[in-house]
Amino acid sequence: MNTPHGATHVLYAVARDPYSMGIVIAPRTQADALPLKRLPFFCSRLAGGCGATLTLAAGPVRIPHFRHLPKSACALRDADRARDNYTHVAIQLALLKWINAVPGFGCTMEERVEGGRTDLYVAGPGTRVSLEVQRSDISPFDVNRRTALYSRKATAVNWLYEVDTIQACRQELKDAGLCLRVSIDAELTECSLGVTYSTGEGGKTTTIWSPLSEWWINAGGLGSPHLALARKAVTDWRREAAATAEVRRVAAALAKEKKLAQQKLAAEYRRLHRQWETGQRARGQTLKEWATQEVRIIDAKTRHANSRQGYGRDVWSPSMQGSQEDVAWARNIRDKVRSIVERNYDAGFLSAEYGAGLTYWLAAKTEAGWWIGAQLGEHEAYTAVIKMYDLILDTSGRSGARLVQPEHSFDARHHPV
């Protein structure tokens, strides 16, 4: 019974002479191998071998394989090395045969260029293309360096990667969104070309394989319907990704701008508050003295309002002092406060006496800085007014209706406790 070959059991050779392009794979059974034992086989020079004559071993124990002379130092005595090298050559030969069958085109293997050598060099009408079959790992740096060398003689350089884990292949996927692939079957007879492309986040890729008959070659390199579709898919996806990124960028810029505006607003709050405090200290007024003064104003306005038998909605002055920017800001704050105070009065949560007095008191505040400073860092202007109004009542020792938040003002008609 045949057993698997070991590390030195080479399954590949060439017939007729060391430079032959006819790769032979050792038969799987002894019965199939025995009729071939008398034929000459050689270690392929094209595959990097020594060119020596090989013996087809077909014993009853191990599977048939090709054997070097015992003292041979050939690198292809290693089975893995031999498999890789012969597979590489088989791909080259398949591409060579395909291109040479195209009228007007010719292809040569291992074409020398200044400073290097390319796997396949294709010449045709207006076409000079270099094809590189890459089965082992290679860095993007080396690919770029060798591409620059081949481009001295070629109009296009195509790298054909057997696996997509090769460093340079991954880099092409990242940069161009796609890369060309090559494969061949276990019998080293059927070669296919493919395209791997990325159209999604997270490195997700798609690979489409097709036979050589569905490909062509021209001055721009290899081409196929699948390659054209892959390029369009990559272009469309990148356009959509760029549009999405732009939306995110604009949103981030707006958010940053909004945050800066809020920071500027908060800084302005603090500045106005410090200015107000400085003014209070300059006038020598304590908080109690200030509140007592404001109570007098409320009392005066209340008496005036009661004498006119009206709530005083018409006393709000449209004029306001300050810069154009501060006035626009302050009017927005005052409109919010006015609306809430009037609703509290209409709902019965604010007495007629204090409702009228508070309205006249607030209407008299025509300085934009006062309304801006009323917020004192609060996000709602009404909150600050509530605090000031309650402070006035508390400081004066008087009782009166307290202002309540608007969401609680309209649920019922009773006064808050």
Side-chain angles (χ1 to χ4, degrees):
M1 180 177 179
N2 292 334
T3 59
H5 62 277
T8 59
H9 296 156
V10 176
L11 302 181
Y12 305 93
V14 292
R16 294 189 299 275
D17 64 75
Y19 294 92
S20 170
M21 295 184 180
I23 298 177
V24 178
I25 301 178
R28 293 184 178 276
T29 66
Q30 182 185 30
D32 292 333
L34 289 175
L36 304 178
K37 285 182 63 67
R38 295 181 180 181
L39 298 178
F41 297 100
F42 301 89
C43 183
S44 174
R45 284 288 191 181
L46 294 177
C50 60
T53 301
L54 301 180
T55 301
L56 177 58
V61 179
R62 295 182 176 87
I63 65 172
H65 59 277
F66 295 103
R67 182 184 298 163
H68 283 77
L69 293 175
K71 295 183 179 182
S72 172
C74 179
L76 297 191
R77 291 187 65 179
D78 179 81
D80 292 335
R81 180 74 174 271
R83 182 180 62 254
D84 288 342
N85 286 21
Y86 276 96
T87 301
H88 187 277
V89 171
I91 294 173
Q92 288 179 285
L93 292 174
L95 295 173
L96 178 77
K97 181 179 179 181
W98 165 60
I99 295 171
N100 283 334
V102 178
F105 280 79
C107 183
T108 55
M109 290 176 56
E110 303 299 329
E111 179 78 11
R112 290 189 175 277
V113 297
E114 183 181 353
R117 186 172 60 182
T118 182
D119 284 345
L120 294 166
Y121 182 73
V122 182
T127 301
R128 298 290 185 273
V129 177
S130 174
L131 300 179
E132 282 297 301
V133 177
Q134 192 63 40
R135 303 184 63 249
S136 59
D137 199 17
I138 186 173
S139 69
F141 174 81
D142 287 335
V143 165
N144 292 335
R145 178 182 60 81
R146 288 167 59 179
T147 298
L149 292 177
Y150 305 150
S151 296
R152 298 175 182 175
K153 192 173 183 178
T155 57
V157 179
N158 287 153
W159 287 80
L160 310 177
Y161 301 101
E162 186 177 47
V163 294
D164 59 4
T165 56
I166 295 174
Q167 295 181 56
C169 179
R170 293 201 303 267
Q171 190 63 44
E172 277 195 39
L173 280 171
K174 181 179 179 181
D175 296 340
L178 57 82
C179 64
L180 296 177
R181 302 284 302 282
V182 66
S183 69
I184 196 166
D185 64 351
E187 302 300 325
L188 305 185
T189 55
E190 296 294 331
C191 182
S192 300
L193 292 177
V195 55
T196 296
Y197 61 99
S198 174
T199 56
E201 300 288 349
K204 182 179 179 181
T205 61
T206 301
T207 302
I208 301 177
W209 296 96
S210 53
L212 296 178
S213 59
E214 296 184 10
W215 289 76
W216 62 79
I217 192 166
N218 53 31
L222 292 168
S224 76
H226 293 310
L227 178 58
L229 291 175
R231 283 175 174 158
K232 183 179 185 305
V234 171
T235 300
D236 291 345
W237 177 76
R238 290 195 166 186
R239 186 183 297 113
E240 292 175 2
T244 301
E246 178 63 15
V247 170
R248 292 175 179 172
R249 186 195 66 78
V250 171
L254 290 176
K256 182 178 180 180
E257 183 179 345
K258 182 178 179 181
K259 182 177 180 180
L260 291 175
Q262 290 174 341
Q263 292 175 346
K264 181 180 179 182
L265 186 64
E268 183 67 7
Y269 286 155
R270 292 190 292 271
R271 184 188 69 79
L272 291 171
H273 184 44
R274 289 193 298 269
Q275 180 179 341
W276 180 83
E277 288 181 329
T278 301
Q280 290 297 104
R281 287 193 295 269
R283 288 191 292 270
Q285 285 185 316
T286 64
L287 186 61
K288 183 175 181 179
E289 290 172 340
W290 173 80
T292 302
Q293 177 181 315
E294 295 300 309
V295 168
R296 296 195 189 99
I297 295 175
I298 290 178
D299 285 342
K301 297 298 182 182
T302 300
R303 287 193 297 275
H304 180 67
N306 291 338
S307 67
R308 296 182 57 176
Q309 298 181 350
Y311 173 48
R313 293 175 187 262
D314 58 342
V315 301
W316 294 93
S317 172
S319 63
M320 193 169 287
Q321 302 172 5
S323 67
Q324 184 176 358
E325 181 180 0
D326 286 352
V327 167
W329 184 7
R331 280 178 178 171
N332 181 55
I333 300 171
R334 186 179 68 175
D335 289 344
K336 291 180 182 179
V337 172
R338 176 182 175 182
S339 174
I340 297 172
V341 169
E342 289 181 355
R343 290 189 182 187
N344 272 274
Y345 179 82
D346 293 339
F349 288 99
L350 194 62
S351 67
E353 177 185 0
Y354 286 100
L358 181 62
T359 300
Y360 277 86
W361 175 59
L362 292 174
K365 305 301 182 182
T366 58
E367 293 184 2
W370 185 91
W371 287 97
I372 297 172
Q375 297 190 70
L376 303 182
E378 300 286 346
H379 292 295
E380 295 293 338
Y382 184 57
T383 303
V385 174
I386 290 174
K387 291 179 179 179
M388 288 190 290
Y389 177 67
D390 289 347
L391 174 64
I392 292 170
L393 293 178
D394 291 340
T395 304
S396 63
R398 301 173 62 177
S399 61
R402 302 289 180 173
L403 300 182
V404 296
Q405 293 292 352
E407 57 266 31
H408 304 301
S409 301
F410 314 124
D411 296 336
R413 299 289 299 180
H414 59 82
H415 290 276
V417 178

